[in-house]
Amino acid sequence: MSKRFPVDVILQHNTDGTIIPIRLRFTNNDGERVDYTIKGYKDLSGQETRTMPDGVYVTSNDLVYQCKLIVNNQQRLIYLHRDPSGKSWFMTVIR
């Protein structure tokens, strides 16, 4: 399983009920708080119960996104998951 990192997330809640991730903030390996704008995403929510490629088990009720970020001028893909309790978010980095 990939390592999970807790993240702060800014989301857009649309009138049609969809939720779009816009920005992330987390503490990097140097202990600094960093912000990233999400450059693109795929909503992987509402699909069948399964284990994601990052090793996280999700159900059809979980919110899951595959997101593109630009980190040090390079594109990185992450998975963004809402904790099953609905109280917090975490990300896993796709290697």
Side-chain angles (χ1 to χ4, degrees):
M1 178 186 294
S2 299
K3 185 173 179 186
R4 296 180 184 194
F5 299 94
V7 292
D8 299 328
V9 182
I10 295 176
L11 303 163
Q12 176 179 311
H13 295 258
N14 297 318
T15 57
D16 65 0
T18 58
I19 299 172
I20 298 171
I22 298 174
R23 291 185 60 82
L24 300 177
R25 181 182 322 144
F26 57 92
T27 303
N28 68 14
N29 293 336
D30 297 328
E32 299 173 351
R33 298 289 288 165
V34 292
D35 296 325
Y36 292 97
T37 299
I38 294 172
K39 300 298 184 181
Y41 72 95
K42 288 182 189 176
D43 186 351
L44 303 176
S45 307
Q47 299 177 12
E48 73 280 349
T49 299
R50 67 210 181 277
T51 300
M52 300 296 294
D54 59 358
V56 177
Y57 180 79
V58 298
T59 70
S60 61
N61 296 324
D62 292 327
L63 292 179
V64 181
Y65 300 91
Q66 183 184 61
C67 301
K68 291 180 189 176
L69 305 176
I70 303 298
V71 179
N72 297 327
N73 294 321
Q74 294 183 349
Q75 180 177 289
R76 299 293 304 261
L77 290 176
I78 64 149
Y79 283 110
L80 181 62
H81 299 269
R82 184 176 67 179
D83 185 86
S85 70
K87 295 180 182 179
S88 59
W89 289 81
F90 66 92
M91 72 172 189
T92 57
V93 178
I94 300 170
R95 303 254 177 225

